[in-house]
Structures are given as structure tokens and as C-alpha cells.
Amino acid sequence: MGDRKPGFGRALLSRRSVSEQRRGLRVMLMEGIPAVIIGNLLGGPLQTAFLLFLGFSSTQIGLTLAIPSFTLLVQVFIAFAMQRWRNRRRLVLVFAVCHRILWVATGLIPLLFPKAAWAPLYISLFLVSYASAQICNIVWTSLISDAVPPSVRGKYFGIRNMVHFAVVCVTLLAGGQIMEWLPGSAGFAVLFAISGLCILWNGWELARYPNPPFEPSSKGASFGTLLRPFADQAFISASGFISLFLLLQNVIVPLFSYSMLNVLQLNYSEVTLITMLQNVVMMISYYYWGVANGRYPARKLLLWTFPLIGASCFAWIGMAALPVLPVLILVHVLLGIGLGGYNLLAFNFLIGDSPKSERPMYVAVFNGLTGLAGFLGPLIGGWLFKASADGPVWLLRYGLAAGTGTLLLALAVGAAPLFFRIKRPAVREG
């Protein structure tokens, strides 16, 4: 023992640190698998199918789909509270489990309550569920940004998202087939039962999460903490454009499933297969966007994603001359590439371009701005679908989507470079 070199202890500690870091990265990857299973059995096109089963109108569906964005506003208050609540792993565990239990509980509504109460009860439970989710998300973003080394963020999140979206594809395929084999209440009962089991798996993985020390803001829980992101011109300019773009995007994109199921009259299997295609494309694109992010900054790459999302909406105009399914395939391929890039790069932009000690408030302000836009968008979209019900058929089939796509392309090409042109200091924390 006495002949060991002086650096042996340091080397051993370094190896242990690397080993713990890798274990944490694996746990964070595995935790997301049951989370995305729940999110895609109870969300996406299968959520729209369940809402139609409950008798929701297009306006009520628009309101429901706006709730996740609206509840982002709660994150501003949680960013203040995090200056005192330092155990981030415990907060993530508690609020993530609450979110998923409440969401699964919506499956009991048709069994326990009269039909007149179904819509208000679902909206109420979903609202509280997503308020818990957004509390969890801001803490989780702060935690995971500290747990993943900056040098591997682009590649790690690219791989993590690729794995998770492979699970999304399998989940959507299985969910669509379940609803074809067991239409109506029996099929939904199976989806909710599987989701209930996944809550246990997800909670166990969350309890094993890494829990690095939290670095509080130098300003503490003061009003100056809230003002800090607004004083960062580069950050607030980019966030302002993204919010405007999301406002228009969410007028139509969240209602794609409603349009396919209720306007174009596609069946469950067709809609889930088309959505699965989008997620396969998104899954593959995550890897390449992640590799590109290792070479180019997220701010620059984001400018490439906006035209793709706009083009996916504009492509609905193809239904004027072409069969429905080929057009929908093109729409969802473009959307998969665009959203894959946006989801990864907006996250990396947010955690990479914000000071470590101020990151929770930066995340809260960004999510508050984009959340308000995301809340208003589906409400406007639901109202437009309702107002267009007595109009020409082409307006519902492809006119609303193509018109929105035209506006999105104009923003992406004409305005985005101006908003993202403002430079930030070269050196950032964390």
C-alpha cells in the first residue's frame, strides 16, 4: 500500500467521479422511457381521440391543448422558490409523480361521473396535472443542465432524444393498434392501465437521479432576479421571436390530429401511423441536429428549423390537387425534421446561453413568454375551426393550415435573422 504514487488517490477519485457521472446519464436516459410512454398513450392523437370520445367540441379541444402552455407561467414563481428549495431531485420526484397520477386519473371520469360533468372535470384535472408538470420541468431543466457536462450536451441530448422517440414510435403504433382491436372504452381502459404501471417505473428511476448541488442566484429571491433575463438583449430578442413564431405555429399544429380524425375522417390506426412517421423522422433528426450542434451554436441552427416548420403547414395546400395520405406524409416528415431541431436546439440554447446561477429564472421567463403564446395559439385555432365549419370544404381541409404556413414562412425568412442578429458576450457561465 505504501508504494502507491501520490497521484493515485486523486486518480481513483477521478475515476469514481466519471463512473458516477455516467451512471447518472444512464438513469436520466432510462427515466424518460416510461415518461414518454405515458405522454404518448394519454397525449397526442390518442388524447384527441379520448377527448372526442368524451364529446369535446373543437373549441374545448383547443382549450385543453392550450393548458400545457398556459401552466408554464407558474414557473416564474417556482424560479423564486428554488432559491430556498435546494433539493432538486426531491422536487422533481414529487411533482412529476403528481402530474402523472392526476393525468391517469382522468381515465376514471367516464366511470364515476355523469356525462355532463366529463368535459369540465377533465379540463380541471388536466390543468392541475400540467401545473405540477411545469413545476417539475423548471427544476428538472436546472438539475439536468448541471448533471450533463457542457462538452457532451449536444451529443448526449441528441442520443437521449433519439432513444426516447424510438419509444414514442413503438408506443404510438401499439396505442393505435389497441384502439383498433378494442374500440371505445375498452381500448382507453388498456391505455390508462399501462400508463398507471409506468408511473411506478418512472418514480423509481427519478428517485435514483443525480442531485448535484444547486448554485443560487447572487441576488437571492429578489425582484432583480426576475429583471436579469430582460436586461439580456440577445436572450430577450431571440425569446421574443420564438414566442411570436409559436403563437402562429400553435394555431394549427396542435390541431393536426383533430383535423385528421374529425375533418379528414381518418381512422385511429392511420393517424397514429402518420404521427409515428413524424416521430421516426424526428428521432433520426435529433442525432444529426445534435452532431451539428457540436460544430455550430444553437442560435445559428435554430434559424434553419423555422422554415421547415412553416413549410410543413404550407404543404397542406397539396390536398388541392393530390391524395390526402401522400400530402400528410410530406407534412409530417417536414414537421418531424423541424420540430426535432427546434426541441433540441431551443433547449440547448436556453441552458447553454444562460448564466448558471440565474438559469432557473432564464428558463422561467423563456417558458412564460413561449407558454403565453402556446396558450393563445390553440384557442385561436379551435375558434377558427368552429367558425369555418359552415364555410367552404377546402378551408377546413387545407386552407387554415396553408394560410398559417404562409405567415410562418414569412416570419422565418424575413424576421428571424433580424431578431437573432443581436450578439451576446463571448463568455457565459456553466
Side-chain angles (χ1 to χ4, degrees), residues 156-168:
Y156 174 74
F157 286 117
I159 293 172
R160 183 179 187 272
N161 290 345
M162 184 174 67
V163 171
H164 288 175
F165 272 86
V167 177
V168 168

Side-chain angles (χ1 to χ4, degrees), residues 90-121:
R90 181 185 300 166
L91 291 170
V92 167
L93 173 62
V94 169
F95 286 104
V97 171
C98 284
H99 156 58
R100 293 180 179 113
I101 287 175
L102 289 168
W103 200 357
V104 169
T106 61
L108 299 174
I109 290 173
L111 302 177
L112 302 178
F113 299 97
K115 190 167 185 177
W118 289 0
L121 277 173

Side-chain angles (χ1 to χ4, degrees), residues 257-289:
S257 295
Y258 171 81
S259 183
M260 288 187 286
L261 286 166
N262 217 46
V263 177
L264 301 177
Q265 297 293 312
L266 302 185
N267 60 42
Y268 293 134
S269 183
E270 288 172 324
V271 173
T272 52
L273 282 171
I274 290 169
T275 308
M276 186 184 74
L277 171 66
Q278 174 191 321
N279 284 289
V280 168
V281 173
M282 194 182 299
M283 172 189 70
I284 296 169
S285 76
Y286 270 133
Y287 176 79
Y288 290 101
W289 285 115

Side-chain angles (χ1 to χ4, degrees), residues 135-420:
I135 293 171
C136 168
N137 285 344
I138 186 173
V139 182
W140 178 86
T141 301
S142 170
L143 172 59
I144 201 170
S145 63
D146 288 346
V148 180
S151 60
V152 299
R153 275 178 189 158
K155 186 174 182 181
Y156 174 74
F157 286 117
I159 293 172
R160 183 179 187 272
N161 290 345
M162 184 174 67
V163 171
H164 288 175
F165 272 86
V167 177
V168 168
C169 294
V170 174
T171 302
L172 283 171
L173 178 61
Q177 291 304 307
I178 288 170
M179 292 307 301
E180 287 294 316
W181 298 331
L182 299 169
S185 57
F188 289 120
V190 173
L191 300 186
F192 278 92
I194 295 171
S195 299
L197 293 175
C198 285
I199 292 174
L200 300 175
W201 179 10
N202 180 253
W204 182 72
E205 295 287 1
L206 285 171
R208 301 167 58 229
Y209 246 51
N211 196 21
F214 175 65
E215 181 179 330
S217 168
S218 59
K219 298 182 182 297
S222 68
F223 190 67
T225 307
L226 174 61
L227 295 180
R228 176 71 185 273
F230 290 97
D232 187 332
Q233 290 188 346
F235 168 79
I236 209 66
S237 174
S239 300
F241 173 81
I242 291 172
S243 300
L244 178 60
F245 191 87
L246 286 179
L247 173 63
L248 280 175
Q249 173 188 315
N250 283 318
V251 167
I252 197 67
V253 171
L255 292 162
F256 275 7
S257 295
Y258 171 81
S259 183
M260 288 187 286
L261 286 166
N262 217 46
V263 177
L264 301 177
Q265 297 293 312
L266 302 185
N267 60 42
Y268 293 134
S269 183
E270 288 172 324
V271 173
T272 52
L273 282 171
I274 290 169
T275 308
M276 186 184 74
L277 171 66
Q278 174 191 321
N279 284 289
V280 168
V281 173
M282 194 182 299
M283 172 189 70
I284 296 169
S285 76
Y286 270 133
Y287 176 79
Y288 290 101
W289 285 115
V291 171
N293 194 200
R295 298 180 180 179
Y296 305 102
R299 293 172 61 86
K300 181 176 182 178
L301 292 175
L302 271 171
L303 294 175
W304 301 359
T305 68
F306 300 129
L308 289 166
I309 296 171
S312 73
C313 296
F314 181 75
W316 283 70
I317 201 170
M319 292 183 193
L322 299 171
V324 168
L325 286 177
V327 173
L328 289 176
I329 288 171
L330 174 62
V331 164
H332 286 81
V333 167
L334 290 171
L335 188 62
I337 300 172
L339 285 183
Y342 172 79
N343 291 339
L344 176 67
L345 297 166
F347 182 78
N348 286 350
F349 155 72
L350 189 54
I351 67 174
D353 285 27
S354 57
K356 183 176 180 180
S357 62
E358 310 293 337
R359 190 167 293 143
M361 188 54 73
Y362 269 72
V363 173
V365 168
F366 178 85
N367 287 342
L369 292 172
T370 57
L372 183 60
F375 170 68
L376 295 174
L379 292 180
I380 296 169
W383 177 82
L384 285 174
F385 270 93
K386 183 178 180 180
S388 303
D390 296 326
V393 174
W394 65 266
L395 187 60
L396 277 177
R397 286 174 62 85
Y398 59 82
L400 292 176
T404 304
T406 302
L407 295 174
L408 288 172
L409 285 170
L411 273 178
V413 176
L418 300 176
F419 281 84
F420 279 77

